[in-house]
């Protein structure tokens, strides 16, 4: 058994592998909250041997983390790595997969700008070519648009208040996770860090908007929020996103909503289906594919917010903006949010937000 250290406790990663998580998909045990906390404290402290760290990440992947384990990891990340700058506005926090998209346009920048034009402040956050996919994310679309992305925390908060849309850059607000880049890159597969980094909430927003491939993952994420001991949002809305990103996919789509109960009641979780053609998305996911994700997404953003398109991209942006407006409670229904999104484009408000972002 590996020796414990006074700094961390009794559970080095090698011992966790040998005695708890490393025996295979069917026979591995789950960790206690205390074990998971210590494991991630050691990881952020660069204490494990690289081979042991890779084995631990892979063991977590094959056994599948419980919400309690993910909550423990996220709590440690928030306590020891995340630095927050809270704007005066209370934005919707959009936590898309940091490793990006490779086939379809990124619609979240346009959707956030349109929502901001309608009066719903929005925050997005990402890194730069994050493993394992290392594809285009929020940062790269904003870079193509000429919007500053490598901001310090105070600047990110000011951007929200001055424009209605804010971007937070992972190396600035989550340096401990950014320091794990090389080790993650050597893995070749996604690890639990890919999940928890999207939950960092650098603006300390009360509403989180995310995506999932399958409903079970949405349940796991909301259960993770419920189990966290650090700050928890009041509301979480997630939907089936294209390539796992926070761009809603066309067609039959699952939506999950979670609301914290507050002082007077328990949290509630609801899931339902929508048919996106009913909201104007009468096309297939393949119709949203592009050749150069960052550059083409930026060009689409410019033309949509300027009101120069009335095609599938314009409809998709409007619906994604409607979800942001609805998530914050600025519209009672998606239909109302869709109307507000379209008005934001028609009256020039969305274009004004993009202008303000470029001037910031």
């Amino acid at each position: 058994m590996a020796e414990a250290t006074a700094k961390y406790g009794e559970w080095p990663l090698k011992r966790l592998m040998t005695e708890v998580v490393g025996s295979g998909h069917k026979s591995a045990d789950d960790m206690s909250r205390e074990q998971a906390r210590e494991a991630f404290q050691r990881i952020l402290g660069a204490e494990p041997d690289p081979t042991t760290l890779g084995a631990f990440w892979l063991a977590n992947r094959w056994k599948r983390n419980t919400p309690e384990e993910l909550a423990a990891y996220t709590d440690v990340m928030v306590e020891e790595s995340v630095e927050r700058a809270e704007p005066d506005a209370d934005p919707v926090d959009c936590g898309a997969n940091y490793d990006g998209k490779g086939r379809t346009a990124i619609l979240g920048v346009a959707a956030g700008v349109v929502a901001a034009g309608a009066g719903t402040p929005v925050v997005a956050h990402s890194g730069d070519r994050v493993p394992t996919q290392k594809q285009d994310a929020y940062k790269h679309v904003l870079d193509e648009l000429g919007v500053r992305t490598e901001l310090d925390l105070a600047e990110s908060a000011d951007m929200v208040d001055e424009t209605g849309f804010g971007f937070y850059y992972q190396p600035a607000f989550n340096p401990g996770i950014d320091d794990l880049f090389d080790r993650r890159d050597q893995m070749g597969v996604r690890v639990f860090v890919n999940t928890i980094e999207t939950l960092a909430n650098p603006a300390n927003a009360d509403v989180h908007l995310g995506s999932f491939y399958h409903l079970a993952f949405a349940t796991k994420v909301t259960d993770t929020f419920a189990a966290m001991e650090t700050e928890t949002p009041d509301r979480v809305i997630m939907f089936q996103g294209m390539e796992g990103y926070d761009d809603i996919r066309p067609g039959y789509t699952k939506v999950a909503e979670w609301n914290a109960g507050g002082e007077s009641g328990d949290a509630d979780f609801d899931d339902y289906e929508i048919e996106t053609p009913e909201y104007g998305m009468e096309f297939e996911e393949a119709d949203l594919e592009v050749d150069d994700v960052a550059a083409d997404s930026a060009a689409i953003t410019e033309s949509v917010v300027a009101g120069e398109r009335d095609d599938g991209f314009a409809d998709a942006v409007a619906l994604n903006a409607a979800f942001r407006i609805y998530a914050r409670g600025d519209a009672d229904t998606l239909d109302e949010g869709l109307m507000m999104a379209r008005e934001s484009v028609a009256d020039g408000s969305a274009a004004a937000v993009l202008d303000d972002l470029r001037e910031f």
Side-chain angles (χ1 to χ4, degrees):
M1 183 184 73
E3 292 185 3
T5 66
K7 179 179 180 181
Y8 293 111
E10 300 179 355
W11 289 96
L13 262 62
K14 186 175 180 181
R15 182 184 178 193
L16 284 171
M17 286 293 299
T18 302
E19 299 184 25
V20 185
V21 302
S23 59
H25 176 66
K26 295 184 178 180
S27 57
D29 292 325
D30 296 324
M31 289 175 284
S32 68
R33 179 183 288 270
E34 291 74 19
Q35 289 170 331
R37 281 187 59 88
E38 182 179 336
F40 205 53
Q41 286 170 338
R42 289 175 179 271
I43 291 170
L44 288 179
E47 185 264 355
D49 175 85
T51 302
T52 305
L53 175 59
F56 180 78
W57 274 340
L58 193 59
N60 274 256
R61 180 180 172 89
W62 74 48
K63 90 166 190 66
R64 300 179 182 176
N65 284 121
T66 65
E68 184 174 40
E69 290 169 338
L70 290 173
Y73 295 149
T74 309
D75 282 336
V76 171
M77 178 184 71
V78 170
E79 293 163 0
E80 301 195 7
S81 178
V82 173
E83 300 174 37
R84 289 175 170 162
E86 188 171 349
D88 292 333
D90 186 12
V92 176
D93 173 78
C94 297
N97 289 341
Y98 279 23
D99 58 354
K101 297 176 74 174
R103 301 189 312 275
T104 57
I106 293 173
L107 306 176
V109 173
V113 168
V114 171
T120 296
V122 173
V123 158
H125 41 97
S126 79
D128 188 2
R129 311 294 177 195
V130 170
T132 53
Q133 295 185 137
K134 301 172 76 173
Q135 293 177 329
D136 293 312
Y138 272 113
K139 180 186 190 306
H140 309 107
V141 179
L142 290 165
D143 286 342
E144 290 284 343
L145 287 166
V147 177
R148 293 171 58 218
T149 57
E150 298 184 16
L151 307 167
D152 63 36
L153 291 175
E155 288 179 312
S156 292
D158 288 342
M159 179 184 276
V160 182
D161 288 328
E162 292 184 23
T163 74
F165 180 97
F167 178 76
Y168 287 69
Y169 187 38
Q170 186 184 53
F173 74 84
N174 202 350
I177 298 299
D178 185 59
D179 287 345
L180 296 173
F181 184 100
D182 290 341
R183 295 267 58 85
R184 293 169 66 185
D185 195 24
Q186 293 300 316
M187 285 297 297
V189 296
R190 290 169 61 87
V191 298
F192 64 76
V193 180
N194 290 83
T195 296
I196 66 171
E197 67 187 349
T198 69
L199 310 182
N201 194 10
N204 199 28
D206 288 332
V207 178
H208 174 82
L209 184 139
S211 66
F212 57 85
Y213 284 107
H214 306 290
L215 182 61
F217 181 77
T219 305
K220 180 176 288 189
V221 169
T222 57
D223 287 347
T224 296
F225 276 125
M228 284 176 61
E229 294 177 348
T230 52
E231 295 90 345
T232 298
D234 294 333
R235 192 178 195 197
V236 177
I237 291 188
M238 304 183 71
F239 49 71
Q240 286 178 302
M242 294 187 294
E243 301 182 62
Y245 218 70
D246 62 353
D247 299 325
I248 194 166
R249 67 176 67 173
Y252 170 88
T253 298
K254 272 279 191 182
V255 181
E257 290 191 25
W258 178 88
N259 292 280
E263 297 180 358
S264 58
D266 296 328
D268 64 270
F269 178 89
D270 187 28
D271 64 90
Y272 52 90
E273 302 82 32
I274 66 169
E275 296 283 350
T276 59
E278 297 177 3
Y279 299 93
M281 291 177 65
E282 298 184 5
F283 45 84
E284 303 297 326
E285 184 170 326
D287 296 322
L288 301 179
E289 292 182 357
V290 293
D291 295 324
D292 185 322
V293 172
D296 292 344
S297 298
I300 290 164
T301 298
E302 284 188 289
S303 57
V304 167
V305 302
E308 296 171 353
R309 304 182 78 119
D310 58 3
D311 58 0
F313 286 109
D315 290 335
V317 167
L319 183 55
N320 278 280
F323 260 97
R324 286 151 174 77
I325 296 167
Y326 169 71
R328 189 172 179 269
D330 294 330
D332 293 331
T333 65
L334 277 176
D335 284 317
E336 182 183 348
L338 191 59
M339 180 182 67
M340 293 170 64
R342 295 195 187 281
E343 182 63 24
S344 171
V345 173
D347 68 10
S349 297
V353 171
L354 183 56
D355 287 343
D356 289 344
L357 283 168
R358 284 172 157 158
E359 293 172 3
F360 181 82

